[in-house]
Amino acid sequence: MVLRAVGAEVREYRDRPEVTFSWRTRVAPAGPGDLPRIDSEEIPFRTVRDLAPPDEGFRVEVRVVRIAQRTVTVGEERRVVHEGLVADRTGPIALSSWSDFALQAGEAVRIAGGYVRSFRGRPQLVLDERANVIRVEGGDLPNPDQFLRSVPRTIAAIEDEGGGEAVAVEGIVVGLLPPSGLVYRCPTCNRSIKSGICRVHGQVEGQTDLRARIVLDDGTGALTINTGRTDTERLWGVTLDEARRRLRDQPDPSLLEESILETLLGRRLRVRGLGTKDDFGVTITPESIEAVEVDLDAAAEELSARFGEAK
Amino acid sequence: MALREPAWRVTTRELESALEEEKGEGDRAASYLLSPFGARMNRVLLAGTLTPPEPIGRDETQPFWRSRLTDPTGAIAVTAGSFQPRAMAQLRSSTAPRPAIVVGKVHLYRGRDGVGYVSVRAEGIRFVAEADERAVLADILRQTLDRLDLVERLEKDPATAEDLLRKDGLPGLWIRAARESLKRYPDVDRPAFRRELRSAIRRVAGDSGPVASTLPPPPSVTVSRAPPPKPSPPPPTAADRAEESMFLDHLDEIAEGAADGYADLKELLARVAAEGLVSDRAEAVLGRLEEEGVVEEPIVGKLRRAE
């Protein structure tokens, strides 16, 4: 809807301009033709690092690091959202597009008309049908690989930065947090449920699932890795079906948790994914988890070299 | 809200030479043990050979067990009590010295003579293959050398800017610990410690070498006390064997009737007591059966036949 307002006031609220209608303002319907034309060249360019919620009215030039579509339920409606990661020289930011711009991983684009919101404590660039996307050369934009194969950094550094879109760490498993092991989920919304009661859907027939909250420590700090069924099965070496069988044989869910810890404690893992931070520290939602096999001869040689000698 | 304390990678030698405490402020504040080599520890990660535990403490409702963890630089006491049920169950399942990885909280006890004894209260214990223990030892040695380098860099140039150190990937926590170590231990013999680390590399490479516990303690160590070795028990008599078989009969009977397949320890003790086998004697029988690997207690208070 386009409106014409005469006598509106503009004031500043929290460092941002805000238009206020008052009793003096005359408001009337108008048409799209009445809108002033803003040349997109006039919209200022911003770097990704400077973006913070609730910014809007900017342009960015970014490389699409990855993009995938997902169907979500918004109220009653099922909608397709294109989610991914884009980056410029100053860093990456999550992207969520409610309109299909046929984005492809690896291409460089100039985006106008997006806005920034906070999603799970991290800034996210949101596009809808009003956004404008143009393909560009993007010669000075970073290579996507830089974010997909990030080199592990210290957990202390990731804590200091409050997480990150594509963080990589390597450490040793020192513990497990509850809930880990067999959990029950609501069949409708997939929320984890307690005593057969879903927070939204009330009494439901819970579906079993596996998860683990692994505490990874690299000597500089510790963080939590949330693994879903697939990663938990792979790391633990026990499938969901097997876990259910075990629970039938010995009806004590804490035995399953103990068994996961018994498998993982002291193991070295390299993890990459989205890192978010809250009061309890950093949590990683992993994209990849690998067990690291230490080459003992190489490790011994490297240590000896620090004493200025070859082994 | 405080972040989780990191597990400092330390050798037993560094731990037993850490005698300076730092108490945090406020409610539920963590306390720290400062080492001479740049560690400010609340939680630690250790790798070495863990001996079977012995019970300590007299209160039967508060069981407490102690083992010794030996690495190429020395040995340290590892304890677990009823507040660490998992670690205690792990510890008690051990019947012979085996390679292990231990995560736990450091604890400094000062005797009346003022001598400090460092121990580690285990939060997690895992018995592992030797290669896994050596891999963690490699990590411990690497980070210990990193910290020593940092301490010596700061000793040479105390004014080194923190930004510069952080740019080299050194965490703020380490920098703070290194500065504090220099202040509290001005005269420590770091070259001697480096020599020990250097010989510990042999263990990473697979050469088990002389195990530290067989070596006389080096002169620099004055702080740690090994619990005296227990005299080996006399061989069991026929009467002992009869008690054991009665004990096992009751265990099997309870386990058979239990939903989870375990014999409840309390119920078992009550039954054997009814047959005249009372608390201390019953505990001794249980201890023997566990030692011999006949019975295990995978969950605290729950017994079963070992497989």
Side-chain angles (χ1 to χ4, degrees), chain A residues 253-292:
Chain A
S254 69
L255 288 179
L256 298 178
E257 192 184 327
E258 267 171 51
S259 163
I260 298 176
L261 184 63
E262 173 61 9
T263 315
L264 287 180
L265 189 78
R267 269 173 73 182
R268 196 172 185 82
L269 301 179
R270 185 177 298 152
V271 184
R272 194 170 45 71
L274 164 71
T276 55
K277 188 179 175 186
D278 62 15
D279 286 352
F280 301 99
V282 175
T283 300
I284 293 190
T285 309
E287 277 158 37
S288 81
I289 304 182
E290 307 155 53
V292 181

Short mmCIF file of all heavy atoms in Angstrom, two decimals, chain A residues 253-292:
data_model
loop_
_atom_site.label_atom_id
_atom_site.label_comp_id
_atom_site.label_asym_id
_atom_site.label_seq_id
_atom_site.Cartn_x
_atom_site.Cartn_y
_atom_site.Cartn_z
N PRO A 253 17.82 -44.89 31.18
CA PRO A 253 18.37 -44.06 30.10
C PRO A 253 19.77 -43.53 30.41
O PRO A 253 20.54 -43.25 29.50
CB PRO A 253 17.38 -42.90 29.97
CG PRO A 253 16.20 -43.26 30.80
CD PRO A 253 16.58 -44.35 31.74
N SER A 254 20.11 -43.40 31.71
CA SER A 254 21.42 -42.83 32.02
C SER A 254 22.55 -43.77 31.61
O SER A 254 23.68 -43.34 31.40
CB SER A 254 21.51 -42.48 33.51
OG SER A 254 21.54 -43.66 34.26
N LEU A 255 22.21 -45.09 31.45
CA LEU A 255 23.24 -46.02 30.98
C LEU A 255 23.66 -45.68 29.56
O LEU A 255 24.83 -45.85 29.19
CB LEU A 255 22.71 -47.46 31.03
CG LEU A 255 22.54 -48.07 32.42
CD1 LEU A 255 21.98 -49.47 32.30
CD2 LEU A 255 23.87 -48.07 33.15
N LEU A 256 22.70 -45.21 28.74
CA LEU A 256 23.03 -44.84 27.37
C LEU A 256 23.96 -43.64 27.37
O LEU A 256 24.96 -43.60 26.64
CB LEU A 256 21.75 -44.51 26.59
CG LEU A 256 20.76 -45.65 26.43
CD1 LEU A 256 19.52 -45.18 25.70
CD2 LEU A 256 21.41 -46.81 25.69
N GLU A 257 23.65 -42.66 28.21
CA GLU A 257 24.49 -41.47 28.30
C GLU A 257 25.90 -41.86 28.73
O GLU A 257 26.89 -41.39 28.18
CB GLU A 257 23.86 -40.49 29.30
CG GLU A 257 24.49 -39.12 29.24
CD GLU A 257 23.92 -38.21 30.31
OE1 GLU A 257 22.73 -38.35 30.66
OE2 GLU A 257 24.67 -37.36 30.81
N GLU A 258 25.97 -42.77 29.73
CA GLU A 258 27.28 -43.22 30.19
C GLU A 258 28.06 -43.91 29.08
O GLU A 258 29.26 -43.74 28.94
CB GLU A 258 27.12 -44.19 31.36
CG GLU A 258 27.18 -43.49 32.70
CD GLU A 258 26.80 -44.42 33.83
OE1 GLU A 258 27.36 -45.52 33.90
OE2 GLU A 258 25.92 -44.04 34.62
N SER A 259 27.33 -44.69 28.28
CA SER A 259 27.98 -45.41 27.20
C SER A 259 28.55 -44.43 26.15
O SER A 259 29.63 -44.65 25.62
CB SER A 259 26.98 -46.38 26.57
OG SER A 259 27.44 -46.81 25.32
N ILE A 260 27.81 -43.36 25.87
CA ILE A 260 28.32 -42.35 24.92
C ILE A 260 29.59 -41.72 25.47
O ILE A 260 30.60 -41.60 24.79
CB ILE A 260 27.26 -41.25 24.65
CG1 ILE A 260 26.00 -41.85 24.03
CG2 ILE A 260 27.83 -40.17 23.73
CD1 ILE A 260 24.89 -40.85 23.82
N LEU A 261 29.54 -41.35 26.75
CA LEU A 261 30.71 -40.71 27.36
C LEU A 261 31.90 -41.67 27.36
O LEU A 261 33.03 -41.29 27.06
CB LEU A 261 30.38 -40.26 28.79
CG LEU A 261 31.50 -39.49 29.48
CD1 LEU A 261 31.79 -38.19 28.74
CD2 LEU A 261 31.16 -39.18 30.92
N GLU A 262 31.60 -42.93 27.67
CA GLU A 262 32.66 -43.94 27.73
C GLU A 262 33.33 -44.11 26.36
O GLU A 262 34.50 -44.43 26.27
CB GLU A 262 32.04 -45.25 28.23
CG GLU A 262 32.92 -46.46 28.22
CD GLU A 262 34.17 -46.31 29.10
OE1 GLU A 262 34.26 -45.32 29.86
OE2 GLU A 262 35.04 -47.16 29.00
N THR A 263 32.55 -43.89 25.28
CA THR A 263 33.11 -44.00 23.93
C THR A 263 33.92 -42.76 23.57
O THR A 263 34.91 -42.84 22.85
CB THR A 263 31.97 -44.15 22.90
OG1 THR A 263 31.04 -45.09 23.39
CG2 THR A 263 32.51 -44.61 21.56
N LEU A 264 33.46 -41.61 24.05
CA LEU A 264 34.01 -40.35 23.52
C LEU A 264 35.07 -39.69 24.39
O LEU A 264 35.91 -38.95 23.88
CB LEU A 264 32.88 -39.34 23.30
CG LEU A 264 31.96 -39.63 22.12
CD1 LEU A 264 30.88 -38.56 22.02
CD2 LEU A 264 32.77 -39.65 20.82
N LEU A 265 35.03 -39.90 25.71
CA LEU A 265 35.93 -39.17 26.60
C LEU A 265 37.39 -39.33 26.17
O LEU A 265 37.85 -40.45 25.93
CB LEU A 265 35.76 -39.68 28.04
CG LEU A 265 36.51 -38.85 29.10
CD1 LEU A 265 35.75 -37.57 29.40
CD2 LEU A 265 36.70 -39.63 30.38
N GLY A 266 38.07 -38.22 26.04
CA GLY A 266 39.48 -38.27 25.67
C GLY A 266 39.73 -38.34 24.18
O GLY A 266 40.87 -38.30 23.75
N ARG A 267 38.66 -38.45 23.38
CA ARG A 267 38.88 -38.52 21.93
C ARG A 267 39.05 -37.14 21.34
O ARG A 267 38.48 -36.17 21.79
CB ARG A 267 37.72 -39.25 21.24
CG ARG A 267 38.00 -40.73 21.14
CD ARG A 267 36.82 -41.48 20.63
NE ARG A 267 36.59 -41.26 19.20
CZ ARG A 267 35.57 -41.82 18.55
NH1 ARG A 267 34.72 -42.57 19.18
NH2 ARG A 267 35.41 -41.59 17.26
N ARG A 268 39.87 -37.09 20.30
CA ARG A 268 40.20 -35.83 19.67
C ARG A 268 39.27 -35.61 18.48
O ARG A 268 39.17 -36.47 17.61
CB ARG A 268 41.65 -35.89 19.20
CG ARG A 268 42.24 -34.57 18.87
CD ARG A 268 43.73 -34.68 18.59
NE ARG A 268 44.24 -33.34 18.41
CZ ARG A 268 44.56 -32.54 19.41
NH1 ARG A 268 44.48 -32.98 20.64
NH2 ARG A 268 44.97 -31.32 19.18
N LEU A 269 38.58 -34.46 18.45
CA LEU A 269 37.64 -34.18 17.37
C LEU A 269 37.98 -32.85 16.71
O LEU A 269 38.44 -31.92 17.37
CB LEU A 269 36.19 -34.09 17.90
CG LEU A 269 35.60 -35.30 18.61
CD1 LEU A 269 34.19 -34.97 19.08
CD2 LEU A 269 35.59 -36.51 17.70
N ARG A 270 37.75 -32.79 15.39
CA ARG A 270 37.84 -31.51 14.67
C ARG A 270 36.43 -31.19 14.21
O ARG A 270 35.78 -32.00 13.56
CB ARG A 270 38.78 -31.63 13.48
CG ARG A 270 39.01 -30.30 12.78
CD ARG A 270 40.01 -30.46 11.66
NE ARG A 270 41.31 -30.87 12.17
CZ ARG A 270 42.19 -31.57 11.45
NH1 ARG A 270 41.90 -31.94 10.22
NH2 ARG A 270 43.36 -31.89 11.96
N VAL A 271 35.95 -30.01 14.56
CA VAL A 271 34.56 -29.65 14.34
C VAL A 271 34.47 -28.32 13.60
O VAL A 271 35.23 -27.40 13.88
CB VAL A 271 33.81 -29.51 15.70
CG1 VAL A 271 32.34 -29.23 15.47
CG2 VAL A 271 34.00 -30.75 16.54
N ARG A 272 33.54 -28.26 12.65
CA ARG A 272 33.31 -27.02 11.94
C ARG A 272 31.81 -26.75 11.92
O ARG A 272 31.02 -27.68 11.79
CB ARG A 272 33.83 -27.15 10.50
CG ARG A 272 33.97 -25.87 9.75
CD ARG A 272 34.72 -26.08 8.45
NE ARG A 272 34.26 -27.26 7.73
CZ ARG A 272 33.09 -27.34 7.12
NH1 ARG A 272 32.26 -26.33 7.14
NH2 ARG A 272 32.74 -28.45 6.50
N GLY A 273 31.43 -25.49 12.06
CA GLY A 273 30.01 -25.18 12.02
C GLY A 273 29.71 -23.79 12.53
O GLY A 273 30.61 -22.97 12.69
N LEU A 274 28.42 -23.58 12.80
CA LEU A 274 27.97 -22.29 13.30
C LEU A 274 28.19 -22.24 14.81
O LEU A 274 27.78 -23.15 15.52
CB LEU A 274 26.48 -22.13 12.98
CG LEU A 274 25.71 -21.05 13.73
CD1 LEU A 274 26.14 -19.67 13.24
CD2 LEU A 274 24.21 -21.23 13.56
N GLY A 275 28.86 -21.18 15.26
CA GLY A 275 29.09 -21.02 16.69
C GLY A 275 28.27 -19.88 17.25
O GLY A 275 28.37 -18.76 16.79
N THR A 276 27.41 -20.19 18.26
CA THR A 276 26.65 -19.12 18.91
C THR A 276 27.04 -19.07 20.37
O THR A 276 27.45 -20.07 20.95
CB THR A 276 25.13 -19.39 18.81
OG1 THR A 276 24.87 -20.68 19.34
CG2 THR A 276 24.65 -19.33 17.38
N LYS A 277 26.92 -17.88 20.96
CA LYS A 277 27.34 -17.75 22.34
C LYS A 277 26.21 -17.24 23.22
O LYS A 277 25.47 -16.35 22.82
CB LYS A 277 28.52 -16.77 22.42
CG LYS A 277 29.15 -16.73 23.80
CD LYS A 277 30.31 -15.77 23.85
CE LYS A 277 30.82 -15.67 25.27
NZ LYS A 277 31.85 -14.67 25.42
N ASP A 278 26.05 -17.84 24.38
CA ASP A 278 25.11 -17.31 25.37
C ASP A 278 25.82 -17.30 26.73
O ASP A 278 27.04 -17.43 26.79
CB ASP A 278 23.81 -18.13 25.41
CG ASP A 278 24.06 -19.58 25.82
OD1 ASP A 278 25.15 -19.86 26.35
OD2 ASP A 278 23.16 -20.41 25.62
N ASP A 279 25.05 -17.17 27.80
CA ASP A 279 25.64 -17.07 29.14
C ASP A 279 26.47 -18.29 29.51
O ASP A 279 27.32 -18.22 30.39
CB ASP A 279 24.54 -16.90 30.19
CG ASP A 279 23.96 -15.51 30.14
OD1 ASP A 279 24.53 -14.67 29.42
OD2 ASP A 279 22.95 -15.27 30.82
N PHE A 280 26.19 -19.42 28.88
CA PHE A 280 26.89 -20.65 29.25
C PHE A 280 28.09 -20.92 28.36
O PHE A 280 28.72 -21.96 28.48
CB PHE A 280 25.92 -21.83 29.23
CG PHE A 280 24.77 -21.65 30.16
CD1 PHE A 280 23.55 -21.23 29.68
CD2 PHE A 280 24.94 -21.85 31.51
CE1 PHE A 280 22.49 -21.03 30.56
CE2 PHE A 280 23.88 -21.66 32.39
CZ PHE A 280 22.65 -21.24 31.91
N GLY A 281 28.36 -20.00 27.44
CA GLY A 281 29.51 -20.19 26.57
C GLY A 281 29.10 -20.42 25.13
O GLY A 281 27.97 -20.13 24.75
N VAL A 282 30.03 -20.94 24.36
CA VAL A 282 29.81 -21.11 22.92
C VAL A 282 29.23 -22.50 22.65
O VAL A 282 29.64 -23.48 23.25
CB VAL A 282 31.12 -20.92 22.15
CG1 VAL A 282 30.93 -21.21 20.66
CG2 VAL A 282 31.66 -19.52 22.35
N THR A 283 28.25 -22.54 21.76
CA THR A 283 27.70 -23.82 21.30
C THR A 283 27.91 -23.91 19.80
O THR A 283 27.66 -22.94 19.09
CB THR A 283 26.19 -23.91 21.60
OG1 THR A 283 26.01 -23.80 23.00
CG2 THR A 283 25.62 -25.23 21.11
N ILE A 284 28.37 -25.06 19.33
CA ILE A 284 28.53 -25.24 17.89
C ILE A 284 27.46 -26.18 17.37
O ILE A 284 27.23 -27.25 17.91
CB ILE A 284 29.93 -25.80 17.54
CG1 ILE A 284 30.99 -24.75 17.86
CG2 ILE A 284 30.00 -26.19 16.07
CD1 ILE A 284 32.36 -25.09 17.34
N THR A 285 26.76 -25.73 16.31
CA THR A 285 25.88 -26.59 15.55
C THR A 285 26.72 -27.09 14.38
O THR A 285 27.06 -26.33 13.49
CB THR A 285 24.67 -25.79 15.02
OG1 THR A 285 24.11 -25.08 16.13
CG2 THR A 285 23.64 -26.70 14.42
N PRO A 286 27.14 -28.34 14.43
CA PRO A 286 28.20 -28.77 13.52
C PRO A 286 27.73 -29.02 12.09
O PRO A 286 26.62 -29.48 11.87
CB PRO A 286 28.69 -30.07 14.14
CG PRO A 286 27.54 -30.58 14.92
CD PRO A 286 26.73 -29.40 15.35
N GLU A 287 28.59 -28.67 11.15
CA GLU A 287 28.39 -29.08 9.76
C GLU A 287 29.24 -30.31 9.49
O GLU A 287 28.91 -31.12 8.64
CB GLU A 287 28.82 -27.97 8.81
CG GLU A 287 27.77 -26.92 8.60
CD GLU A 287 28.38 -25.64 8.12
OE1 GLU A 287 29.35 -25.72 7.33
OE2 GLU A 287 27.93 -24.58 8.54
N SER A 288 30.37 -30.36 10.17
CA SER A 288 31.18 -31.57 10.03
C SER A 288 31.91 -31.84 11.33
O SER A 288 32.31 -30.93 12.04
CB SER A 288 32.18 -31.41 8.89
OG SER A 288 33.30 -30.67 9.32
N ILE A 289 32.03 -33.12 11.66
CA ILE A 289 32.80 -33.57 12.83
C ILE A 289 33.67 -34.72 12.37
O ILE A 289 33.17 -35.68 11.78
CB ILE A 289 31.88 -34.11 13.95
CG1 ILE A 289 30.86 -33.07 14.36
CG2 ILE A 289 32.71 -34.52 15.15
CD1 ILE A 289 29.98 -33.54 15.50
N GLU A 290 34.95 -34.60 12.60
CA GLU A 290 35.83 -35.72 12.26
C GLU A 290 36.61 -36.11 13.51
O GLU A 290 37.07 -35.24 14.24
CB GLU A 290 36.88 -35.34 11.22
CG GLU A 290 36.38 -34.72 9.96
CD GLU A 290 37.47 -33.86 9.35
OE1 GLU A 290 38.60 -34.38 9.16
OE2 GLU A 290 37.20 -32.68 9.08
N ALA A 291 36.77 -37.41 13.70
CA ALA A 291 37.69 -37.87 14.73
C ALA A 291 39.10 -37.72 14.16
O ALA A 291 39.34 -38.02 13.00
CB ALA A 291 37.40 -39.33 15.06
N VAL A 292 40.01 -37.19 14.97
CA VAL A 292 41.37 -36.96 14.49
C VAL A 292 42.27 -38.09 15.00
O VAL A 292 42.33 -38.35 16.20
CB VAL A 292 41.92 -35.61 15.01
CG1 VAL A 292 43.33 -35.36 14.50
CG2 VAL A 292 40.99 -34.48 14.60
#
